[in-house]
Amino acid sequence: MLIIYFLASLIDILTNKMNTFAIIPARGGSKSIPLKNIKQLHGKPLIEYTIELALESNLIDKVSVTTDSEEISNVVKKYKDVLLINRPDEIAQDTSMTDESLFHACEFVKNQLSYNPEIIVCLEPTSPLRKLETVDKSINIMKNNIEIDTVISVVENKSCYGNIKKNKFIYHEKNLRRRRQDREPLYIECGNVYTSTYEKLKTNNSLIGKNVYPIIVNYKESIDINDPIDFKIAEALLLS
């Protein structure tokens, strides 16, 4: 038995295998769209796009959904390989931070399942067009770069940004050029993947640490559903 354990540990070391825990935070409350996470998108509940992608990854060994909603739980239950975690009401409020649900999910699997989460992948259910290669890339970057705190996805933007002060529009210094082609691009955090480690999550007390590594994705993949119009855009892109 000791020999088998030793060999398994050796294989894990040689293959750089780490327990990779995907957490899909799906709170029931949504003011803009009631039960947004299970609203139908091109024939199936929105959250299912994220669940199915997480299950498809060979780098993720445990997939969970943390929710306070019975309706969302009933949708998730059809996926036998997904761990359903009941989120306490005190961390499921409008003012609650996603970090709180991640800590709760990690402590749950440690205490209830004796599972040690090492790599943490947070997959918001509002990004139905994210690519598997983006998720896997974020995991590999996190595994192989101990100096990185968090890997996030970003999308390029060349819009004219500025501030309004005393009824005057003041251009951002990097967007002064009138021709779009000449503007220096800015990047927007698009939120379809956040990857860190459990240890850094605890050290930073936040999913976003000091040393953040960006993965640039295209506009289609960056779509994040927050408003009714976003559903129409996502559905059109799914059909394109």
Side-chain angles (χ1 to χ4, degrees):
M1 198 70 178
L2 286 174
I3 294 174
I4 294 174
Y5 178 80
F6 173 77
L7 290 174
S9 299
L10 182 60
I11 290 171
D12 285 352
I13 293 171
L14 292 175
T15 59
N16 198 21
K17 185 180 184 301
M18 298 176 71
N19 289 340
T20 302
F21 183 36
I23 305 172
I24 303 170
R27 195 169 65 88
S30 174
K31 291 183 178 179
S32 59
I33 308 172
L35 288 173
K36 171 178 64 178
N37 291 319
I38 54 173
K39 181 178 171 62
Q40 293 285 312
L41 174 66
H42 194 47
K44 67 180 179 182
L46 177 60
I47 194 172
E48 292 192 8
Y49 289 89
T50 297
I51 290 173
E52 291 171 4
L53 179 135
L55 291 173
E56 190 180 345
S57 173
N58 292 324
L59 300 182
I60 295 172
D61 52 68
K62 190 175 291 296
V63 178
S64 70
V65 171
T66 168
T67 185
D68 62 316
S69 165
E70 184 177 353
E71 292 92 337
I72 293 175
S73 295
N74 289 335
V75 171
V76 175
K77 284 175 182 176
K78 67 182 278 190
Y79 294 94
K80 303 302 180 185
D81 293 329
V82 174
L83 174 65
L84 186 59
I85 300 175
N86 294 318
R87 191 188 309 187
D89 289 341
E90 59 266 25
I91 60 171
Q93 304 302 311
D94 288 340
T95 55
S96 298
M97 302 292 289
T98 300
D99 295 334
E100 296 177 282
S101 66
L102 302 183
F103 279 117
H104 176 263
C106 289
E107 291 303 307
F108 179 88
V109 294
K110 283 170 66 71
N111 297 330
Q112 300 297 321
L113 305 179
S114 297
Y115 173 81
N116 180 35
E118 295 174 283
I119 299 289
I120 307 299
V121 186
C122 177
L123 301 172
E124 296 282 357
T126 49
S127 297
L129 296 167
R130 73 166 64 78
K131 295 179 181 178
L132 179 60
E133 64 189 68
T134 300
V135 175
D136 286 350
K137 183 178 180 179
S138 76
I139 295 169
N140 282 322
I141 290 170
M142 201 68 230
K143 281 183 178 181
N144 295 301
N145 296 274
I146 60 173
E147 75 280 3
I148 292 173
D149 289 320
T150 314
V151 179
I152 68 169
S153 56
V154 300
V155 62
E156 182 181 298
N157 190 292
K158 287 190 175 182
S159 297
C160 277
Y161 286 104
N163 297 313
I164 296 177
K165 295 182 179 179
K166 296 181 179 180
N167 293 324
K168 292 182 180 180
F169 184 80
I170 301 171
Y171 286 95
H172 187 284
E173 60 180 6
K174 292 184 179 180
N175 291 115
L176 293 176
R177 290 184 171 86
R178 296 304 306 147
R179 285 186 0 118
R180 184 178 183 278
Q181 304 94 308
D182 297 333
R183 295 177 202 147
E184 183 177 342
L186 297 173
Y187 295 88
I188 301 171
E189 176 186 315
C190 53
N192 65 15
V193 62
Y194 298 91
T195 303
S196 187
T197 67
Y198 181 55
E199 288 304 315
K200 290 186 177 180
L201 185 66
K202 290 192 298 181
T203 300
N204 296 314
N205 197 35
S206 171
L207 180 60
I208 305 296
K210 295 179 180 178
N211 191 354
V212 179
Y213 185 97
I215 295 176
I216 301 173
V217 301
N218 61 29
Y219 170 75
K220 181 176 180 178
E221 188 177 356
S222 77
I223 290 297
D224 181 30
I225 294 180
N226 291 298
D227 300 301
I229 188 65
D230 296 330
F231 270 95
K232 295 184 181 299
I233 293 170
E235 190 153 48
L237 290 171
L238 278 168
L239 296 171
S240 65

